[in-house]
Amino acid sequence: MDVTKITFNKTICFINRLFMTVGYPPCEEENPPTLLRYLIKNLWFFVAYVWIFSVALAQFLFVATRPFEANIWEYLVQEVTVGYCTVGLTKMFMLAKRRKSLSTLLRNFHRIWPNQVKTAVDKEIVESYMHYNTMFAVWFSGLSVIMGYFWNMIPLGEMMFYKLVYGENIRALPFNIWVPFDEFDTAYPYVYMYLLYSAHTVVVYHIAFDSLFCISISHLCMHYRLLQENLKVVVDDPKEDERPSNAHENMNRLKSCIEKHQCLTRIRKYIEEIFTDVIFMNFFVSSINICSVGFLMATNRGYHAMKFFMLFLCYLVELFLFCWFGQELIDNSSSVAYSAYESSWYSTTQKFKKIMILVIHRSQFSEILTALKFWDISLNTFRKILSASWSYFALLHTALAELPYMKREGGI
């Protein structure tokens, strides 16, 4: 049966389109062989990366040049934005550095993509599972980019509100940066556009990286599901087949399943090599940022609280998606052992049974992705990070409540 509802290229084309807006070439392509062609092809990517690096540096300088007693809420907001930019820069730096591994990973997925399947069940697995996950990633990416623009255009709405209601001309920026001139003077429109594209680039760095991870895990889980179905019918069922079971055909099918399982294990190692350390950094920074945004949300009222609630949800969703897809891999890889046991192994030769025992034993060890061997990427880790964030929040709330110079006004 031909798989027609979805193709491999459809599962990653939206990620390539996101990367195109920040100058990053298609993910499955390797770097050009010559330095000149490499520089020409990646010119806009280098420009955009330096652009964002300068913004992150300017955010840090803004904090460093202000007295700590000025406004604690202002510092927390800057900590969140600097952390977000830093993680985004790290994500793209690592993807650029590991471009060869990334292109190898995607070529492997392309090579084993099932254009044709044997049964209607296999076709349903490929088309439904991958179509659902791809559409989810597309909607998630689109909504995240829209949310990024909405968040960074809120100051425009504030300025219009003050102009229409109070008749005041005020100027505000999406976030604070240090510049060697007055950013609210004649250069204000250019500074705002500079920050707006910067925000778009950072959001794309995050969302494209996260979507790439989720789609890679979706491909891997889809192949594990196909492997489960193949193992269930690896032996001719004597109850459904009038002719006796063919030991040679059974063994060939089993060898094919073992080779597929080994291939998926190697691909899992590629995925961990590309994503593991960045996800560790993302988990660590997110635990702090969730705490900071939660504190800002809890200590503000009305409109400002709603703004930080939206940001709080964005951090939670990003963290949850990593852990959800990591859990998907754990569940699907561990189910291989059950599928092997459900086959008609009892009607085969002694040699086949011994090999099947080894297959079941090996499959009982789930394929677990880790964040630098420190955290498993699973729903249990999501719970642990939220627990740690709550502890940080309680400590922050207790400590700041005792400071004599706490101020509520400004800085938001």
Side-chain angles (χ1 to χ4, degrees):
M1 297 183 178
D2 293 335
V3 175
T4 56
K5 190 175 180 180
I6 192 168
T7 64
F8 173 80
N9 289 332
K10 286 182 180 179
T11 63
I12 63 169
C13 65
F14 76 98
I15 299 176
N16 288 331
R17 289 171 183 170
L18 279 176
F19 277 137
M20 189 185 304
T21 64
V22 295
Y24 192 79
C27 301
E28 66 275 18
E29 294 183 6
E30 286 191 346
N31 287 322
T34 63
L35 179 61
L36 180 60
R37 291 176 59 188
Y38 172 80
L39 293 175
I40 294 175
K41 188 171 185 178
N42 294 275
L43 179 61
W44 180 242
F45 171 71
F46 293 144
V47 172
Y49 194 86
V50 173
W51 186 315
I52 303 305
F53 184 83
S54 67
V55 170
L57 181 61
Q59 288 177 322
F60 175 78
L61 289 176
F62 180 85
V63 176
T65 55
R66 292 177 66 82
F68 182 74
E69 294 81 359
N71 191 312
I72 194 64
W73 277 270
E74 189 174 79
Y75 275 88
L76 286 176
V77 172
Q78 287 300 108
E79 179 272 320
V80 170
T81 56
V82 170
Y84 191 77
C85 282
T86 302
V87 174
L89 286 168
T90 304
K91 286 180 176 180
M92 285 309 300
F93 176 79
M94 288 303 181
L95 283 185
K97 180 182 177 182
R98 295 163 181 168
R99 185 166 183 80
K100 183 176 180 181
S101 297
L102 177 60
S103 61
T104 301
L105 170 67
L106 294 179
R107 285 202 306 272
N108 283 333
F109 277 134
H110 199 177
R111 177 175 56 82
I112 64 176
W113 173 263
N115 292 308
Q116 291 186 330
V117 292
K118 296 179 181 179
T119 65
V121 174
D122 290 350
K123 184 176 181 181
E124 178 70 14
I125 289 173
V126 177
E127 292 186 339
S128 297
Y129 185 76
M130 289 307 302
H131 178 73
Y132 169 79
N133 282 340
T134 301
M135 291 306 299
F136 172 80
V138 169
W139 279 100
F140 168 71
S141 301
L143 290 175
S144 297
V145 172
I146 293 172
M147 183 68 73
Y149 273 106
F150 174 78
W151 174 267
N152 288 282
M153 294 183 73
I154 284 178
L156 295 180
E158 292 177 342
M159 288 188 289
M160 292 177 61
F161 175 80
Y162 275 94
K163 179 65 176 177
L164 294 175
V165 176
Y166 300 107
E168 298 179 8
N169 290 318
I170 65 167
R171 290 187 173 184
L173 293 171
F175 46 89
N176 294 319
I177 61 170
W178 177 89
V179 289
F181 53 84
D182 184 4
E183 65 270 32
F184 297 107
D185 200 2
T186 55
Y188 173 75
Y190 306 102
V191 174
Y192 200 105
M193 293 302 298
Y194 173 78
L195 296 182
L196 192 62
Y197 181 72
S198 301
H200 164 79
T201 304
V202 172
V203 169
V204 169
Y205 283 177
H206 277 270
I207 300 307
F209 180 94
D210 299 349
S211 298
L212 188 58
F213 174 81
C214 295
I215 287 297
S216 298
I217 300 300
S218 298
H219 276 280
L220 198 54
C221 290
M222 179 266 292
H223 285 289
Y224 270 115
R225 292 191 175 193
L226 291 178
L227 179 60
Q228 293 169 28
E229 295 300 318
N230 292 338
L231 280 171
K232 289 179 182 178
V233 296
V234 71
V235 179
D236 295 327
D237 193 340
K239 297 179 181 179
E240 299 179 0
D241 202 331
E242 296 180 357
R243 61 186 178 84
S245 180
N246 189 316
H248 181 69
E249 292 181 2
N250 292 341
M251 188 61 71
N252 286 339
R253 283 194 288 266
L254 181 58
K255 288 181 179 178
S256 177
C257 289
I258 293 173
E259 291 172 356
K260 179 68 174 290
H261 191 246
Q262 292 174 337
C263 175
L264 297 182
T265 300
R266 289 193 296 269
I267 290 176
R268 197 276 303 169
K269 292 179 180 178
Y270 262 114
I271 293 175
E272 179 147 351
E273 175 189 336
I274 295 170
F275 296 101
T276 178
D277 48 359
V278 182
I279 292 179
F280 171 81
M281 182 180 182
N282 206 144
F283 281 0
F284 178 75
V285 174
S286 292
S287 65
I288 298 174
N289 282 350
I290 287 174
C291 158
S292 300
V293 176
F295 181 82
L296 291 166
M297 183 177 62
T299 53
N300 283 272
R301 300 290 181 270
Y303 162 70
H304 293 304
M306 288 300 299
K307 282 202 309 181
F308 290 117
F309 177 71
M310 292 167 54
L311 192 59
F312 183 78
L313 285 181
C314 290
Y315 276 113
L316 280 185
V317 170
E318 180 186 37
L319 188 62
F320 177 77
L321 284 181
F322 280 124
C323 297
W324 172 267
F325 280 93
Q327 188 68 45
E328 276 274 289
L329 178 60
I330 293 172
D331 294 341
N332 282 282
S333 60
S334 61
S335 298
V336 171
Y338 296 101
S339 298
Y341 184 76
E342 289 176 6
S343 68
S344 303
W345 55 268
Y346 46 82
S347 63
T348 59
T349 63
Q350 194 68 19
K351 180 181 178 181
F352 187 97
K353 293 176 183 177
K354 290 181 178 178
I355 297 176
M356 183 61 81
I357 290 174
L358 295 176
V359 171
I360 293 174
H361 176 70
R362 171 62 185 85
S363 302
Q364 287 176 335
F365 297 94
S366 303
E367 294 292 340
I368 301 176
L369 291 170
T370 64
L372 274 186
K373 308 297 182 182
F374 190 81
W375 283 304
D376 293 340
I377 303 177
S378 65
L379 291 178
N380 188 45
T381 297
F382 179 71
R383 177 189 61 80
K384 290 180 180 179
I385 293 176
L386 290 188
S387 178
S389 297
W390 172 256
S391 300
Y392 301 154
F393 169 82
L395 178 63
L396 185 66
H397 189 274
T398 303
L400 295 185
E402 302 299 325
L403 294 179
Y405 48 81
M406 287 283 287
K407 300 177 183 179
R408 289 192 57 82
E409 62 275 3
I412 305 297

